[in-house]
Amino acid sequence: MKTKKYIALALTALSLGITTGCNDDDFLREKPETIYTLENSFNTVDQVQASVDNQYQHIRYWFQNNFFLKGIGADYLDAPAWRCGQGSSSTSNFANWSSDYGTTYGIYEAMYMLVAYCNQTLDGISISTLTFDSEAQKNSFIAQSRFFRGFAYLTLGELFGGVPVVTQFYETPRYDFTRSSHEETYQQAIDDLTYATENLPEYPSEAGRVAQGAANHYLAEAYIALATIKNNDKATLDKAITAANRVMALHSLMTERFGTRANPNSTSTIGGVAAYYPDGDVFFDLFQAGNLDYVEGNTEALWTLQNDLEIKHEYGGDQYLAYPRNFSPVLRDAKWKSEYAESGANASPWGGNIDEALYPGGNTSAYLGGKGVSFTAPTKYVINDIWEGKYGDDMRNSPANIRREFVCLDTKHSMYGKVVTEDMISSESIDRYYPIWTKFAPVDDYGYEGVAAGYDGSRDNMYRDDYACRLAETYLLRAEAYLREGDKDKAATDINTLRKRAKCAYEIPANEVDIHTILDERARELFFEERRWCTLLRMESGIAAEQLKEHAMYIADYPVYTGAINWNLFPFPQAVIDSNTGNVLDQNSGW
């Protein structure tokens, strides 16, 4: 049973005047009832707790509700053609990008909002006369805030290079900031994350809290990023390996089936569906509700984002994953080619005439990915390229984890119950048709808790927790550090540790290991879990551009953008440059 989740407590952040939105009516009051300052906002332990909880809430949104960081427009995902004017308004049409590009500015602004929340908390604690329950409690608040500030500066450094490093909370505007160097930005992240590794508990104090595993994970990433801009400095890479080793000393990979859907003797049901899923495997189990948290027995989990059905419907907010809606294909709109269309049948193999006793929800059943609207679709790189040839025999590519074949559900069509192949779908609607990753959409109604509770009848959301980071990624970080040191044998060993867990027939030999090998393995293991843009942009110069040219949807799959990619970092926001009137902030190269 989980302990109390922080997501409900975050609502009390309002007692500090902290919000993540804006209420114009309140803002325009001439005589506000209360003015909050550092001096009067931290008078109780609950106020400090609320301030820290607000940090969790803020970054949680950018992990699981704003999908850009996770690879939209990179080599993972983009909007399908029918949603973005055949690619004209897509993210990977880089002709749309500029120093005013709102998507990248949004990430910059979000990370500095997180920095501000952290600085407010840290400065408030430092000047407060509050008596904490214990010194350990006080240090825990500081350590969590420094973790998040370190995470923010790591992300900013990876995406934008050197940025202004701000370590205090300003209650009045400043317009004279200076960009720190790229190295100084990473060093700030390292300093904060190091403090967190030394002062956080070994394991989460409750579900969703950060602990030493997550802090060391991002510390390893920060040292790799720093080493990259220092020509793969060995001493720095050794520190990355040491940090990764500390994670592995605390956590271990899940290698056998476990949790809510793995027990053949379970009598649990949701929505009339039995918990036990006999066709599952350990990778499948990693993404089943009730399995993601360390406190639930998942030793691989380092930091999880919390979602809860009861909290959503008691307090409101976005305490759910909208992954089925956003990522599932719109199979109900995928039409037959004319030669396969039949009189009396639906125009789509999955559009109507569906036996809902077998497929509850009909054309929005779990079998079809729920009520998918396909705001984003996977690239050919993640659908096919990384699984080609000897790489196809892989648990992560099994039908339990990626459903590639769909039978016709139309009881009035002669193909009913038979597999519909891609060549039977009309070219005009083929972009509605692609595989379903079951980590994004429950394999059956057992995963649609909201439907069973009478809240979400259309199967567009799920109330499962989500990973911010897990140990599998730490292995790939360490593999990258070994590769950068020139030790391909150890790099191969780390990669193959994951491949053995996935029962892969092919293990990668040391002589085949390069940075693209690691990027491909990250795609197989961490598709839409990692911060893919951060991964690509912290690489050595040219790697990101090469990956985009070879795999971005509207460059490689459908060549809409044919221009050059002469940049290695996101544009520094023009609005920030223009408003910083007291000092010059230089633009990044290529913009």
Side-chain angles (χ1 to χ4, degrees):
M1 181 69 66
K2 287 189 182 183
T3 56
K4 179 179 63 176
K5 295 182 178 181
Y6 66 82
I7 52 179
L9 293 176
L11 292 169
T12 62
L14 294 174
S15 68
L16 292 175
I18 300 171
T19 66
T20 56
C22 178
N23 185 316
D24 290 341
D25 291 336
D26 288 343
F27 180 77
L28 293 173
R29 289 180 183 172
E30 293 183 7
K31 296 181 179 180
E33 296 173 0
T34 307
I35 296 176
Y36 293 95
T37 67
L38 285 177
E39 285 74 15
N40 66 15
S41 293
F42 295 89
N43 294 320
T44 69
V45 171
D46 284 345
Q47 287 179 311
V48 179
Q49 182 71 72
S51 185
V52 172
D53 289 341
N54 188 61
Q55 298 163 27
Y56 283 91
Q57 277 291 79
H58 178 73
I59 197 58
R60 178 180 161 279
Y61 171 85
W62 291 93
F63 264 111
Q64 67 179 40
N65 295 93
N66 183 294
F67 309 128
F68 175 65
L69 269 183
K70 290 187 173 183
I72 292 177
D75 53 353
Y76 274 2
L77 300 150
D78 213 325
W82 64 277
R83 278 206 167 276
C84 63
Q86 303 301 307
S88 62
S89 62
S90 70
T91 306
S92 61
N93 180 3
F94 295 110
N96 297 325
W97 288 42
S98 69
S99 58
D100 292 314
Y101 191 52
T103 302
T104 54
Y105 175 69
I107 296 297
Y108 180 94
E109 183 180 48
M111 291 304 111
Y112 269 110
M113 286 177 69
L114 182 58
V115 167
Y117 293 150
C118 295
N119 287 341
Q120 181 186 42
T121 305
L122 293 167
D123 287 0
I125 290 173
S126 70
I127 67 172
S128 173
T129 59
L130 175 66
T131 300
F132 290 89
D133 295 343
S134 66
E135 193 67 16
Q137 182 190 53
K138 177 180 178 180
N139 289 341
S140 174
F141 291 142
I142 295 171
Q144 289 175 85
S145 295
R146 292 200 64 175
F147 170 88
F148 284 116
R149 190 172 69 182
F151 174 87
Y153 278 120
L154 170 60
T155 302
L156 286 165
E158 290 170 326
L159 300 180
F160 297 95
V163 298
V165 171
V166 183
T167 57
Q168 68 181 86
F169 182 72
Y170 291 99
E171 296 186 271
T172 56
R174 269 190 60 189
Y175 305 101
D176 60 347
F177 290 105
T178 302
R179 289 188 70 168
S180 301
S181 70
H182 206 170
E183 181 172 341
E184 289 168 339
T185 302
Y186 283 145
Q187 190 59 54
Q188 181 62 50
I190 288 168
D191 292 345
D192 281 333
L193 291 167
T194 298
Y195 182 93
T197 66
E198 295 169 350
N199 291 276
L200 287 172
E202 288 188 344
Y203 300 104
S205 58
E206 62 179 329
R209 296 283 176 195
V210 294
Q212 288 181 24
N216 276 298
H217 173 90
Y218 288 115
L219 182 60
E221 182 177 323
Y223 274 124
I224 292 172
L226 178 60
T228 302
I229 64 171
K230 295 175 68 176
N231 297 314
N232 290 324
D233 172 65
K234 187 178 185 304
T236 307
L237 288 167
D238 283 343
K239 292 178 181 178
I241 293 166
T242 297
N245 290 343
R246 287 197 291 263
V247 183
M248 295 170 191
L250 293 168
H251 293 265
S252 58
L253 292 174
M254 303 299 292
T255 57
E256 304 292 338
R257 292 212 64 184
F258 72 100
T260 55
R261 308 212 66 181
N263 181 3
N265 298 316
S266 174
T267 58
S268 174
T269 62
I270 294 179
V273 178
Y276 180 53
Y277 191 76
D279 296 329
D281 50 49
V282 66
F283 196 76
F284 172 87
D285 289 336
L286 283 169
F287 300 95
Q288 301 309 302
N291 288 2
L292 277 77
D293 287 318
Y294 181 83
V295 297
E296 293 168 329
N298 183 346
T299 58
E300 187 167 331
L302 305 182
W303 171 26
T304 51
L305 311 168
Q306 303 297 289
N307 298 290
D308 190 280
L309 179 68
E310 288 74 22
I311 290 175
K312 155 69 178 173
H313 288 282
E314 183 175 354
Y315 295 98
D318 55 359
Q319 316 303 332
Y320 56 85
L321 293 176
Y323 293 172
R325 179 172 73 245
N326 287 297
F327 300 119
S328 292
V330 191
L331 291 175
R332 60 191 175 275
D333 289 343
K335 311 299 184 185
W336 290 108
K337 280 185 177 177
S338 59
E339 58 264 40
Y340 295 100
E342 294 179 0
S343 177
N346 194 274
S348 166
W350 309 286
N353 306 316
I354 298 173
D355 183 350
E356 295 202 25
L358 296 175
Y359 299 97
N363 62 19
T364 61
S365 66
Y367 179 74
L368 300 176
K371 191 181 180 181
V373 296
S374 191
F375 280 118
T376 61
T379 62
K380 293 179 181 179
Y381 171 64
V382 292
I383 295 175
N384 295 321
D385 294 357
I386 58 176
W387 309 108
E388 286 182 346
K390 58 194 176 186
Y391 291 100
D393 188 1
D394 186 320
M395 178 190 294
R396 298 164 297 188
N397 191 34
S398 74
N401 296 308
I402 305 177
R403 187 157 61 253
R404 297 176 179 274
E405 291 187 344
F406 303 92
V407 300
C408 174
L409 301 188
D410 186 350
T411 57
K412 296 184 178 182
H413 197 283
S414 62
M415 283 285 293
Y416 175 65
K418 297 178 183 178
V419 173
V420 179
T421 54
E422 187 174 353
D423 61 341
M424 298 178 180
I425 303 300
S426 71
S427 59
E428 292 79 10
S429 63
I430 194 62
D431 58 354
R432 272 79 161 174
Y433 173 93
Y434 55 81
I436 295 172
W437 274 254
T438 59
K439 66 162 80 172
F440 297 156
V443 70
D444 54 32
D445 269 5
Y446 189 88
Y448 283 108
E449 183 184 3
V451 173
Y455 293 129
D456 296 302
S458 56
R459 295 170 179 80
D460 50 5
N461 300 319
M462 56 182 177
Y463 292 86
R464 193 205 75 195
D465 296 335
D466 204 15
Y467 295 109
C469 57
R470 58 186 174 91
L471 183 63
E473 185 177 6
T474 317
Y475 272 92
L476 293 172
L477 285 172
R478 192 172 71 173
E480 183 182 339
Y482 283 137
L483 173 64
R484 292 182 180 280
E485 287 193 339
D487 194 337
K488 290 190 173 186
D489 288 324
K490 289 183 178 178
T493 297
D494 277 349
I495 294 169
N496 288 325
T497 296
L498 299 183
R499 294 186 63 76
K500 288 176 181 176
R501 191 263 292 275
K503 309 294 185 189
C504 299
Y506 180 71
E507 292 187 14
I508 298 174
N511 63 359
E512 289 186 10
V513 175
D514 60 17
I515 199 63
H516 294 289
T517 309
I518 292 174
L519 286 173
D520 290 353
E521 195 64 25
R522 291 181 75 96
R524 296 182 194 102
E525 181 74 29
L526 302 167
F527 175 44
F528 205 71
E529 291 180 67
E530 64 167 321
R531 293 143 49 249
R532 187 64 168 187
W533 273 114
C534 292
T535 298
L536 294 180
L537 294 183
R538 69 170 169 75
M539 297 288 172
E540 292 168 308
S541 178
I543 296 295
E546 182 180 351
Q547 197 76 2
L548 294 173
K549 289 174 184 176
E550 292 183 359
H551 303 303
M553 185 176 290
Y554 292 102
I555 298 177
D557 299 350
Y558 311 101
V560 172
Y561 181 74
T562 58
I565 298 176
N566 296 321
W567 44 271
N568 293 304
L569 295 166
F570 285 164
F572 203 85
Q574 192 63 44
V576 176
I577 293 174
D578 293 343
S579 64
N580 199 65
T581 55
N583 223 326
V584 176
L585 298 174
D586 294 327
Q587 183 55 268
N588 286 332
S589 177
W591 300 101

